[in-house]
């Protein structure tokens, strides 16, 4: 159940109208890294997590709901940035349309083409946010990542929060309005907070690497192929332990020779790790059973019910005060 509070989570303000920045801000309203994308993404991910991961489900729904609050803040800011000039713009546009249309079909086609290639035509003439990015491209469900595996979804969310934070960081460079900057700074900072929430949630699910259930083939997991000519560049991504909990990277300086010597890698040895193909097969079975148990334990044999109420009578209309009674009680 959603409950709308009319006051914004953050008191959005603007010093003066700025239609050009309002257009840029559409990126965070209907863009690929915007607030609507985040809200829908976390909301969808939560369904699969509801029973197997109830704690993480609660977190996903909380953050999704906050993202809707941020969407409202962005929409309100865009609207205020257009305040005071919307009527004038609309009148001017209508007069221009009439004048240009009277010049003949050629001018009409030119005007329509200008409207198509100029997203600001739509962003400014309406006086309110449109569900597009700053270039006028409509919002799309393809922006949303929800794979049904919580560890994969959370990693997608970490990337989403990172990109959204960076967009706000860029937007801050395009406005001098101190009050708008305050709003953008708040929204940017909440992306940082959400990132830490997701990072902590991922750490609470063990094991969480590699993503999914199946382990990698140990013949290939710790191998780094030097796929470029010139000097060998070494770092924690191709030498030493790196991010591995155990084992270390095996650096193949000449991949072509290595591929030939191992019959196209089919006879490559296990190197850099103590894992074997037998041990990873055993882990696959163990983790598969664990994940299956988590899902099956969440499925009820009785008639399924999404919400549980402590007292069934609470859903009865007799227990809910009449509207007039609730008003009088205030």
């Amino acid at each position: 159940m959603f409950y709308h509070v009319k006051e914004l989570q953050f008191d959005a303000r603007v010093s003066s109208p700025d239609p050009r920045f309002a257009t840029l801000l559409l990126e965070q309203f209907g863009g690929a890294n915007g607030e609507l994308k985040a809200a829908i993404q976390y909301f969808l991910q939560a369904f699969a997590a509801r029973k197997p991961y109830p704690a993480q489900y609660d977190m996903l729904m909380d953050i999704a709901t906050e993202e809707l609050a941020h969407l409202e803040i962005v929409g309100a800011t865009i609207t205020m940035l257009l305040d005071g000039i919307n009527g004038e713009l609309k009148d001017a546009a209508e007069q221009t349309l009439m004048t240009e249309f009277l010049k003949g079909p050629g001018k009409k086609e030119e005007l329509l083409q200008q409207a198509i290639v100029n997203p600001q035509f739509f962003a400014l003439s309406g006086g309110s946010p449109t569900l597009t990015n700053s270039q006028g491209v409509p919002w799309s469900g393809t922006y949303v990542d929800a794979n049904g595996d919580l560890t994969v979804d959370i990693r997608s969310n970490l990337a989403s929060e990172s990109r959204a934070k960076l967009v706000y960081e860029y937007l801050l460079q395009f406005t001098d309005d101190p009050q708008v900057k305050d709003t953008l700074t708040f929204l940017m900072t909440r992306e940082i907070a959400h990132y830490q929430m997701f990072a902590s949630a991922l750490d609470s699910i063990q094991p969480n690497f590699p993503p999914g259930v199946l382990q990698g083939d140990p013949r290939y997991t710790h191998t780094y192929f030097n796929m470029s000519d010139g000097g060998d560049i070494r770092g924690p991504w191709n030498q030493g332990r790196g991010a591995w909990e155990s084992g270390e990277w095996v650096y193949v300086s000449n991949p072509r020779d290595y591929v030939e010597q191992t019959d196209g890698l089919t006879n490559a040895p296990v190197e850099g790790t103590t894992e074997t193909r037998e041990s990873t097969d055993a882990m696959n079975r163990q983790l598969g059973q664990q994940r299956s148990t988590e899902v099956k334990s969440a499925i009820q044999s009785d008639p399924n019910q999404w919400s549980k109420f402590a007292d069934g009578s609470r859903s009865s209309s007799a227990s809910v005060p009449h509207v007039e009674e609730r008003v009088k009680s205030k």
Side-chain angles (χ1 to χ4, degrees):
M1 176 175 65
F2 288 93
Y3 181 85
H4 180 255
V5 177
K6 295 179 179 62
E7 292 77 20
L8 296 178
Q9 181 188 20
F10 182 86
D11 185 19
R13 296 148 295 156
V14 302
S15 300
S16 60
D18 187 346
R20 286 179 294 182
F21 188 73
T23 303
L24 287 177
L25 194 52
L26 279 173
E27 200 64 41
Q28 290 304 87
F29 193 82
N33 301 305
E35 302 293 353
L36 179 61
K37 173 267 177 83
I40 298 300
Q41 178 163 303
Y42 308 155
F43 185 70
L44 287 179
Q45 291 172 356
F47 286 105
R50 170 68 171 85
K51 293 299 180 67
Y53 301 101
Q56 289 82 356
Y57 163 85
D58 186 68
M59 176 204 67
L60 284 166
M61 290 299 293
D62 281 344
I63 300 178
T65 304
E66 184 177 0
E67 299 290 14
L68 288 175
H70 295 173
L71 181 70
E72 186 176 18
I73 291 172
V74 172
T77 303
I78 292 172
T79 303
M80 289 188 291
L81 287 170
L82 296 173
D83 274 353
I85 61 173
N86 300 328
E88 295 178 8
L89 285 170
K90 186 176 176 65
D91 290 343
E94 289 173 348
Q95 293 169 10
T96 302
L97 281 172
M98 181 60 67
T99 302
E100 296 298 326
F101 270 48
L102 291 175
K103 292 182 179 180
K107 277 294 183 180
K108 176 180 178 181
E109 293 300 325
E110 180 182 337
L111 184 63
L112 291 175
Q113 179 64 21
Q114 181 183 4
I116 291 173
V117 300
N118 183 10
Q120 291 188 12
F121 178 89
F122 299 104
L124 301 182
S125 63
S128 62
T130 55
L131 200 55
T132 68
N133 66 9
S134 60
Q135 297 300 305
V137 179
W139 189 88
S140 171
T142 58
Y143 298 157
V144 174
D145 293 314
N147 297 92
D149 185 294
L150 190 55
T151 66
V152 175
D153 284 343
I154 289 178
R155 286 184 170 93
S156 294
N157 299 347
L158 291 170
S160 295
E161 295 293 335
S162 300
R163 287 190 291 267
K165 189 267 183 184
L166 196 59
V167 173
Y168 280 121
E169 191 170 320
Y170 290 156
L171 284 170
L172 280 164
Q173 302 177 40
F174 288 92
T175 179
D176 295 323
D177 188 323
Q179 294 183 325
V180 172
K181 281 180 175 286
D182 283 347
T183 299
L184 297 182
T185 299
F186 165 76
L187 294 170
M188 181 192 72
T189 304
R190 291 306 296 166
E191 309 296 353
I192 299 172
H194 292 167
Y195 183 100
Q196 292 295 75
M197 296 173 198
F198 286 128
S200 300
L202 180 62
D203 189 59
S204 71
I205 304 172
Q206 296 295 335
N208 62 42
F209 185 84
V213 173
L214 298 179
Q215 308 300 297
D217 190 320
R219 294 177 295 175
Y220 316 124
T221 52
H222 288 62
T223 306
Y224 182 94
F225 294 103
N226 178 33
M227 304 296 283
S228 56
D229 291 333
D232 292 348
I233 306 299
R234 307 301 297 272
W237 56 87
N238 63 18
Q239 70 178 359
R241 181 175 175 179
W244 294 107
E245 292 185 358
S246 62
E248 60 181 14
W249 289 113
V250 175
Y251 186 83
V252 178
S253 59
N254 192 326
R256 180 174 179 178
D257 288 348
Y258 186 79
V259 168
E260 291 178 352
Q261 294 167 6
T262 59
D263 300 323
L265 300 181
T266 57
N267 291 318
V270 174
E271 297 181 278
T273 177
T274 58
E275 296 293 340
T276 65
R277 298 175 72 178
E278 291 74 21
S279 66
T280 55
D281 287 342
M283 177 60 76
N284 289 340
R285 291 190 294 272
Q286 177 183 342
L287 189 55
Q289 292 175 354
Q290 177 182 330
R291 293 285 188 262
S292 177
T293 300
E294 290 171 350
V295 174
K296 290 180 179 178
S297 64
I299 300 175
Q300 299 177 353
S301 57
D302 297 331
N304 217 339
Q305 182 178 350
W306 192 262
S307 301
K308 298 293 184 182
F309 298 94
D311 182 358
S313 64
R314 287 175 57 192
S315 62
S316 170
S317 59
S319 63
V320 180
H322 189 272
V323 174
E324 293 182 359
E325 294 175 1
R326 285 183 286 177
V327 171
K328 291 177 180 179
S329 66
K330 294 180 180 180

